[in-house]
């Protein structure tokens, strides 16, 4: 079976004021459907850059990025946006919920924007997602009325809104205390167990045996791949 | 403070486009307000200087030519500066196209020693016996010829040579009133009108500004000597109502512009301060003192005000001058050159400097007093729960709710932009509504008019009337007689010489013409007047008795039974009969069958030919309409100019709002992208908020515009026509303006916003 995610000889260099910053160099990567992959490395090692490429938020300078049978570098902005909405769900360190929408509306909003699921299912699906992240009671709260952990759980529910194949998370627990972070990790695991491919970024030390693949980056290169 | 200023300068440098827009807004505001300010004072000055320089008469005297000694006795009085003979009479003159036009001819005692109602020589030499001088604004009608053909009532056409052109600032521009003004010597006058038995004099006191009381006392005294004395409205130009309307408009628009400007500036400041809250909190966190921060911001605001003054005031001065020159042109004034005094510039300059400081005070104070923690994160408290459910039910689409909520989040900013848009739109609508209302009103007025031509005749007998009646297009002819009356002054009513129009009993005005009361067939000494005369008399009430002396010298009480609305007809009094007045047909009111402009004009020419030498003047509704429009032209020009400026300011405000919105919400835009939303869709989402703003603006602007239109119609009507212009909404033009406004915004904003969004990088959502 072809891998779900396939990267080959990927290069990405940022043009900063001080000069070019090579963020990813000659990167090769393969992820199969249903895997739980973790990307680690020190700050500035290129983790977020890699995740953004996987999410179709950014394009590589050169190399292949093939995800769900689609070669992302061949897509234009609009096609990329459409692809992103249907195939990946993204969670950020700082939640980035829409402050003017309630918890429930944040999830519904994602569905309406992408509009790939039947309209009649939106409400039920959003409510069931809220239940899955344990926040059914807070459906009508605005983000600033929720704790960081709660906001992140809403963000995860929102990432799941359009039933994506792949769930991407960039240091989702980086801004949370250990206990809450633990709950968030469990939540991710539960979605993984229900068949999602899960790729998370962290700079914490991790227990490699808990993951299908551990990718460690140093200066934009993969130094070890543990399966 | 220096360090803070340096930092602020760098902040501004980072948002160059927005800073430029803000400065532009300040400059435009200062420009707009100062245009009105300078325009008002310059017009005021032009008016005062031109009018005062003409040494306007304080009293007009009429006496029997046989009794000329009475004047000699008067001249001795110490308080009188000058008494000067001045006659005037109507005739007609051939214009450059060979058509007849009315000419008002003044006969002057001594051109070289004018002392009252003076005018100046523009070119040529003062006329001698048999020559004419012509007011300069009439030359356009007469062409470049050196001779004119003039016909006096009942006389043959005579040719006169034009010796000179004058400038007479007391006379409204010929173009406006469609009348030629000419001057001859008294000798010429005597040769032309040997039949005149009355002499008219102008009187001026030594006191430049005598009180009404003094004048009335003097007038009474003069009257005991058998000389009729009338006091013209003190300090009033013949076209005072036009000048008043212009002033009222200028003042009103000045206030509106100031409100608009202040609103725009508030908006700019709020937009600018909002992101600064966080910066201020940071500065405080690293130890900057509250005082230093406040001072730094104030210096910046002062600088902004200064830039506004440096660029805006000179522009305002220039456009104000342009405007006052235009008014001077329409009013036949010579604009006063010479700079305005320093004291004139001071208030506007100080105002422009202090307003940004005043407006900035609260947002700056708020930003400074906000605690560091609060400042570092913006808080959205959300909608009240109940409101939320209602909204959910009203707008099931979350996409719409997103726009609506983001929009509501903006609080004060929102209020300001809505005010700006509403005012801009409203003013724009008012302009078109008023123009439309006037058009409707005049059209309805002329449609309901009982007569369509009015012809001044020297004499008309039964035979002549029936020949006119036999013309194909003529439905009816009413012969109108005239009688002279002198109204006595009472505490409520001003003294006045009046030419009473005696109309046949089978004529009655359209019922829609009556403002109060109506004509009364049953009583003998009953009169009715139009609103113009009502204004001049000091608004008498229906039922009031007016004391008047007739031509026979007998006093009688006239009962006022009605006040009617007449457009483009001077102050007039009507009656069916008057004891002692002999029928002397002086005018014909002619009702036509076919009232198409062409048919009216044709019939008019036919009648003019029929009457031949007996014709004094003739006017038709079409001409009257044109005259009225000419009178209102300056007014509409101002409205349109200000309306355009306001829309410009409104759009500038919107541009600022959009810009800041995008900047502030970059993280949200990034997140929208991450969720799989394309740039086009995000632009539409943000523009949806603009659409809500527009919708709200339009919804509020229409009723407001209607309200202002009603009030402006009342005010303008009262000053110009002495009767309110009834309200008519110009729905078509309003609809078109709205479509244009929305279309324009769509065409401009959409690509702009889309471009901005496309360029905004995904990095935005990273911290
Ligand atoms: N937009 C950008 N412009 C310039 N340099 C960037 C940009 N984004 C990231 N970088 C640089 O690229 C490198 C990798 O960054 P990133 O992927 O964010 O690392 P990590 O997420 O592992 O901390 C770093 O050196 C960072 O400074
Ligand atoms: Mg990172």
């Amino acid at each position: 079976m072809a891998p779900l995610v396939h990267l080959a000889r990927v290069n990405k260099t940022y043009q900063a004021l001080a000069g070019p910053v090579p963020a990813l160099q000659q990167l090769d990567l393969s992820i199969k459907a249903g895997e739980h992959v973790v990307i680690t490395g020190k700050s500035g090692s290129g983790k977020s850059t890699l995740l953004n490429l996987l999410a179709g938020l950014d394009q590589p300078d050169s190399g292949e990025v093939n995800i769900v049978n689609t070669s992302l570098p061949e897509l234009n902005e609009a096609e990329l946006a459409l692809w992103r909405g249907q195939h990946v769900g993204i969670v950020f360190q700082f939640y980035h919920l829409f402050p003017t929408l309630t918890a429930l509306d944040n999830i519904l909003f994602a569905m309406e924007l992408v509009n790939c699921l039947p309209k009649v299912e939106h409400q039920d699906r959003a409510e069931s997602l809220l239940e899955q992240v344990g926040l059914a009671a807070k459906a009508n709260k605005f983000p600033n009325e929720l704790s960081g952990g709660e906001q992140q759980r809403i963000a995860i529910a929102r990432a799941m809104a359009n039933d994506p194949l792949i769930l991407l998370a960039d240091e989702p627990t980086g801004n949370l205390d250990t206990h809450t972070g633990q709950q968030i990790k469990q939540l991710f695991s539960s979605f993984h167990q229900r068949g999602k491919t899960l790729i998370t970024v962290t700079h914490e030390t991790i227990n490699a045996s808990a993951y299908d693949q551990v990718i460690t980056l140093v200066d934009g290169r993969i130094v070890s791949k543990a399966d | 403070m220096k360090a803070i200023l340096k930092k602020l300068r760098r902040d501004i440098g980072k948002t160059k486009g927005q800073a430029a827009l803000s400065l532009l807004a300040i400059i435009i505001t200062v420009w707009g307000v100062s245009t009105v300010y300078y325009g008002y004072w310059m017009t005021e000055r032009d008016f005062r200087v031109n009018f005062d320089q003409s040494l306007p008469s304080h009293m007009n005297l009429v006496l029997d030519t046989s009794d000329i000694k009475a004047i000699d006795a008067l001249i001795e009085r110490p308080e009188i500066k000058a008494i000067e003979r001045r006659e005037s009479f109507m005739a007609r003159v051939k214009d450059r196209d060979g058509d007849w036009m009315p000419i008002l001819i003044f006969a002057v005692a001594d051109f070289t020693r004018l002392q009252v109602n003076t005018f100046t020589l523009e070119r040529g030499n003062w006329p001698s016996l048999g020559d004419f001088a012509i007011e300069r604004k009439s030359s356009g009608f007469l062409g470049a010829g050196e001779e004119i053909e003039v016909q006096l009532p009942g006389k043959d056409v005579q040719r006169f040579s034009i010796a000179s052109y004058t400038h007479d600032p007391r006379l409204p521009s010929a173009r406006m009133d469609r009348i030629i003004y000419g001057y001859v010597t008294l000798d010429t006058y005597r040769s032309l009108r040997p039949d005149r038995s009355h002499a008219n004099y102008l009187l001026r006191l030594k006191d430049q500004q005598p009180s009404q009381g003094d004048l009335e006392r003097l007038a009474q005294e003069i009257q005991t000597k058998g000389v009729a004395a009338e006091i013209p409205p003190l300090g009033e130009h013949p076209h005072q109502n036009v000048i008043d309307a212009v002033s009222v408009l200028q003042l009103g628009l000045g206030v509106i512009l100031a409100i608009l400007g202040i609103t725009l500036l508030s908006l700019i400041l709020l937009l600018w301060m909002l992101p600064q809250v966080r910066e201020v909190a940071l500065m405080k966190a690293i130890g900057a003192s509250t005082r230093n921060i406040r001072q730094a911001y104030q210096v910046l605001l002062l600088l902004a005000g200064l830039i506004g003054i440096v660029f805006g005031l000179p522009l305002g001065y220039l456009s104000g001058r342009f405007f006052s020159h235009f008014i001077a042109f329409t009013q036949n004034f010579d604009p006063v050159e010479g700079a305005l005094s320093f004291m004139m510039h001071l208030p506007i300059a100080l105002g422009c400097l202090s307003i940004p400081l005043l407006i900035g005070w609260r947002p700056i104070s708020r930003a400074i007093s906000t605690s560091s923690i609060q400042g570092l994160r913006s808080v959205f408290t959300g909608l009240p729960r109940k409101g939320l459910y209602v909204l959910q039910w009203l707008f099931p689409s979350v996409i719409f709710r997103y726009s609506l909520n983001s929009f509501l989040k903006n609080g004060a900013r929102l209020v300001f932009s809505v005010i700006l848009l509403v005012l801009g739109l409203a003013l724009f609508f008012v302009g078109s509504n008023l123009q439309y209302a006037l058009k409707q009103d005049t059209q309805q007025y002329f449609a309901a008019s009982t007569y369509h031509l009015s012809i001044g005749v020297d004499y008309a007998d039964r035979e002549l009337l029936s020949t006119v009646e036999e013309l194909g297009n003529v439905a009816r002819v009413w012969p109108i007689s005239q009688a002279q009356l002198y109204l006595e002054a009472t505490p409520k009513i001003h003294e006045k010489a009046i030419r009473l129009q005696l109309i046949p009993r089978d004529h009655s005005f359209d019922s829609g013409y009556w403002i109060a009361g109506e004509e009364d067939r049953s009583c003998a000494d009953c009169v009715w007047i139009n609103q113009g005369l009502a204004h001049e008399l000091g608004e008498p009430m229906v039922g009031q008795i007016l004391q008047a002396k007739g031509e026979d010298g007998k006093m009688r009480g006239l009962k006022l039974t009605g006040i009617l609305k007449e457009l483009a007809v001077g102050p007039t009094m009507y009656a069916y009969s008057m004891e002692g007045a002999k029928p002397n047909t002086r005018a014909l009111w002619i009702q036509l069958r076919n009232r198409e402009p062409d048919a009216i004009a044709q019939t008019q020419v036919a009648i003019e030919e029929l009457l031949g030498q007996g014709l004094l003047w003739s006017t038709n509704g079409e001409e009257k309409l044109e005259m009225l429009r000419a009178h209102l032209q300056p007014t509409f020009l101002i409205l349109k100019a200000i309306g355009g400026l306001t829309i410009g300011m409104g759009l500038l405000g919107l541009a600022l709002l959009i810009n800041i919105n995008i900047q502030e919400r970059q993280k949200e835009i990034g997140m929208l992208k991450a969720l799989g939303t394309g740039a086009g869709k995000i632009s539409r989402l943000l523009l949806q908020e603009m659409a809500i703003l527009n919708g709200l603006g339009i919804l509020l602007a229409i009723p407001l515009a209607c309200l202002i239109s009603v009030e402006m119609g009342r005010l303008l009507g009262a000053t110009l026509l002495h009767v309110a212009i009834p309200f008519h909404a110009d729905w078509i033009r309003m609809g078109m303006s709205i479509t244009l406004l929305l279309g324009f915004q769509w065409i401009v904003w959409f690509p702009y916003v889309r471009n901005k969004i496309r360029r905004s990088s995904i990095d935005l959502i990273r911290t």
Side-chain angles (χ1 to χ4, degrees), chain B residues 43-63:
Chain B
T43 306
E44 177 74 22
R45 183 176 65 165
D46 286 347
F47 169 64
R48 201 166 16 82
V49 170
N50 274 274
F51 188 63
D52 286 352
Q53 269 176 0
S54 78
L55 306 175
S57 116
H58 291 141
M59 208 176 288
N60 301 334
L61 312 178
V62 189
L63 71 163

Side-chain angles (χ1 to χ4, degrees), chain B residues 569-588:
Chain B
V569 173
T572 316
M573 179 181 278
Y574 301 100
Y576 280 137
S577 64
M578 181 66 44
E579 197 197 320
K582 19 187 197 317
N584 60 346
T585 303
R586 283 304 164 93
L588 304 177

Side-chain angles (χ1 to χ4, degrees), chain B residues 281-577:
Chain B
L282 266 173
M283 284 191 263
K284 271 166 74 181
I286 58 169
S289 84
T290 311
R291 212 177 114 231
N292 279 344
I293 298 174
R294 183 185 290 278
Q295 278 172 354
Y297 279 102
Q298 280 167 353
V299 166
L300 220 63
L301 287 181
L302 264 179
L303 272 176
L306 260 179
I307 292 177
I309 287 180
V310 166
F311 291 96
L313 274 196
L315 278 175
Y317 189 84
L318 286 180
S319 48
R321 204 172 66 156
F322 176 80
F323 173 79
S324 64
H325 275 40
F326 173 77
I327 299 295
F329 174 76
T330 63
Q331 297 306 313
N332 197 18
F333 291 156
D334 272 336
V336 179
E337 289 305 335
L340 285 177
S341 78
F342 175 71
M343 289 311 288
M344 296 260 63
H345 298 292
L346 204 60
I348 182 108
L350 282 182
C352 292
L353 261 190
S354 53
I355 284 173
L357 281 182
L358 286 176
I359 294 174
W361 191 265
R362 216 175 99 83
I364 291 176
S365 300
R366 267 238 304 253
I368 293 175
S369 60
T370 313
S371 77
S372 304
I373 302 292
Q374 270 176 323
L376 290 172
R377 62 164 208 230
S378 58
V379 181
F380 177 63
T381 42
L383 296 153
R385 285 291 103 91
K386 265 189 203 133
L388 185 83
Y389 289 119
V390 173
L391 277 177
Q392 213 130 30
W393 176 76
L394 270 178
F395 306 112
S397 154
V398 188
I399 290 181
F400 184 77
R401 233 156 34 223
Y402 168 71
S403 295
L404 190 74
N405 289 2
S406 323
F407 180 67
L408 291 175
K409 179 184 154 193
N410 284 314
R413 260 196 274 183
L414 164 86
V415 174
F416 280 125
S417 357
V418 170
I419 291 178
L420 204 65
L421 194 77
V422 166
L423 269 176
L425 276 171
L427 210 64
F428 198 63
F429 291 162
V430 167
S432 64
N433 273 349
L434 271 181
Q435 205 159 0
Y436 180 74
L438 189 84
K439 200 173 130 211
Q440 289 290 314
D441 189 35
T442 45
Q443 263 173 12
Q444 280 172 13
Y445 172 82
F446 287 116
S449 182
T450 41
Y451 61 97
H452 309 98
L453 281 175
S454 60
I455 313 272
V457 292
D458 199 35
Y459 170 79
D461 56 15
R462 200 48 252 167
E463 195 184 334
L464 184 68
L465 290 187
S466 42
T467 22
V468 173
E469 264 163 5
E470 269 155 30
L471 284 175
N473 196 22
V474 172
R476 284 186 88 156
V477 179
W478 288 284
I480 310 294
S481 297
Q482 288 177 352
Q484 194 67 37
L485 275 184
Y486 297 98
L487 269 196
E488 290 279 298
T490 71
K492 284 263 175 66
I493 292 178
H494 305 147
E495 179 192 56
K496 184 137 191 82
I498 285 174
R499 204 166 289 168
L500 178 70
Q501 311 286 315
L502 292 165
I503 40 186
R505 283 185 186 274
D506 60 352
H507 176 275
S508 52
F509 287 101
D510 184 84
S511 60
Y513 275 30
W514 292 102
I515 296 169
E518 57 182 0
E519 61 250 274
D520 191 338
R521 259 161 244 277
S522 59
C523 84
D525 280 352
C526 279
V527 296
W528 45 102
I529 61 180
N530 64 15
Q531 86 283 356
L533 185 60
H535 172 76
E536 285 197 358
L537 296 182
E539 311 292 348
M541 306 293 286
V542 165
Q544 206 168 323
I545 307 293
L546 310 171
Q547 293 298 329
K549 191 157 60 173
E551 275 170 293
D552 52 9
K554 268 203 293 188
M555 282 300 283
R556 52 167 66 80
L558 304 176
K559 186 173 165 208
L560 182 63
T561 67
I563 297 173
L564 65 122
K565 165 179 166 180
E566 285 190 306
L567 298 182
V569 173
T572 316
M573 179 181 278
Y574 301 100
Y576 280 137
S577 64

Side-chain angles (χ1 to χ4, degrees), chain A residues 36-66:
Chain A
H36 186 176
V37 181
V38 65
I39 303 170
T40 67
K42 281 198 287 243
S43 179
S45 57
K47 306 183 294 292
S48 296
T49 308
L50 175 56
L51 199 82
N52 286 345
L53 292 186
L54 295 175
L57 285 170
D58 209 349
Q59 294 279 25
D61 297 334
S62 64
E64 292 171 28
V65 179
N66 220 308

Side-chain angles (χ1 to χ4, degrees), chain B residues 185-205:
Chain B
T185 62
L186 272 183
D187 293 335
T188 313
Y189 169 72
R190 286 189 199 102
S191 72
L192 291 172
R193 313 254 5 203
D195 50 331
R196 283 281 173 114
S197 59
H198 281 77
N200 290 278
Y201 286 84
L202 305 174
L203 178 151
R204 191 170 160 86
L205 299 180

